[in-house]
Amino acid sequence: MTTKNKIVLRPRFKFDVNYNNESLLGLFDEAKTTQKDFIVSRIDDHVFIKFPNIKQHFWSTQLHLDINKNFDDDEKSTIYGLFGPNPTVWTMFMFFHFLVAVIFIGFGAWAYSNWSLETSYGVQIGVMVMMVLIWFVLYFAGRMGKRTGMGQMHELHHFMRDTLRSKDIHGLN
């Protein structure tokens, strides 16, 4: 499972299968009761697969599958997958990125105002540089988290693949 873009923090995939979506969703409903290694939950056409609390750590990954019926042929489906961190962790990271951007823009406007008024603006430029550095720290922390969760990401992918293979679906790697 490789991605073309190495900067991707939340890898995605998509593939088509020759089964209707209800039978595929039923496989995950069945897997929910027949195994204890993963927590499988389903809401409509969405399947969420994550690790039990005992196996989770801060950087744990979860897999969100969207199993849609193909409108051209009722016996075909498209599976969209998205790997990502716990939604709380993802929201926290997005909040920090937003906060850094707002502070950067605010201090940029303040620095411009001080420059226009011909007063000192060194502190504002210093804070702006610090926000750029914090943004890099956040980015590399996210990359580190992705690397830490890579093993679990593979386990989730193998579970999904094995669950779908129980239906004898061809073309799964």
Side-chain angles (χ1 to χ4, degrees):
M1 187 175 65
T2 61
T3 59
K4 294 176 188 172
N5 182 353
K6 296 296 181 188
I7 296 179
V8 174
L9 291 176
R10 294 175 52 182
R12 300 170 188 269
F13 60 87
K14 169 188 165 185
F15 59 92
D16 296 310
V17 293
N18 293 324
Y19 289 93
N20 69 32
N21 71 329
E22 285 303 321
S23 65
L24 298 174
L25 291 165
L27 292 173
F28 288 101
D29 286 338
E30 181 183 325
K32 181 190 318 186
T33 59
T34 59
Q35 56 78 39
K36 299 291 180 211
D37 294 330
F38 299 95
I39 297 172
V40 179
S41 55
R42 175 183 165 200
I43 301 171
D44 296 329
D45 291 346
H46 302 275
V47 177
F48 300 92
I49 306 169
K50 60 184 183 178
F51 287 90
N53 289 339
I54 283 183
K55 292 184 178 181
Q56 284 185 11
H57 52 77
F58 184 76
W59 298 110
S60 282
T61 306
Q62 69 178 24
L63 175 59
H64 170 207
L65 298 174
D66 190 8
I67 304 175
N68 295 329
K69 97 170 92 168
N70 188 330
F71 290 106
D72 297 335
D73 184 352
D74 284 342
E75 292 304 311
K76 291 187 178 180
S77 301
T78 302
I79 299 176
Y80 298 90
L82 170 66
F83 290 101
N86 179 317
T88 307
V89 172
W90 183 252
T91 303
M92 178 192 69
F93 263 86
M94 290 301 99
F95 171 75
F96 287 152
H97 279 280
F98 177 76
L99 184 64
V100 166
V102 167
I103 291 171
F104 180 86
I105 291 168
F107 273 82
W110 189 7
Y112 177 73
S113 296
N114 282 358
W115 174 76
S116 296
L117 297 171
E118 297 180 359
T119 60
S120 174
Y121 53 90
V123 171
Q124 291 83 5
I125 297 296
V127 171
M128 290 173 64
V129 169
M130 187 174 65
M131 290 301 109
V132 170
L133 295 174
I134 289 173
W135 182 82
F136 277 110
V137 168
L138 287 172
Y139 173 76
F140 286 112
R143 296 278 296 174
M144 180 191 72
K146 179 183 169 188
R147 194 174 313 119
T148 302
M150 187 67 69
Q152 287 187 338
M153 195 163 66
H154 287 291
E155 287 181 54
L156 290 167
H157 184 262
H158 293 305
F159 172 73
M160 176 210 61
R161 182 195 62 203
D162 294 343
T163 301
L164 292 173
R165 277 190 179 158
S166 69
K167 187 77 170 171
D168 206 17
I169 294 175
H170 303 290
L172 293 176
N173 295 328

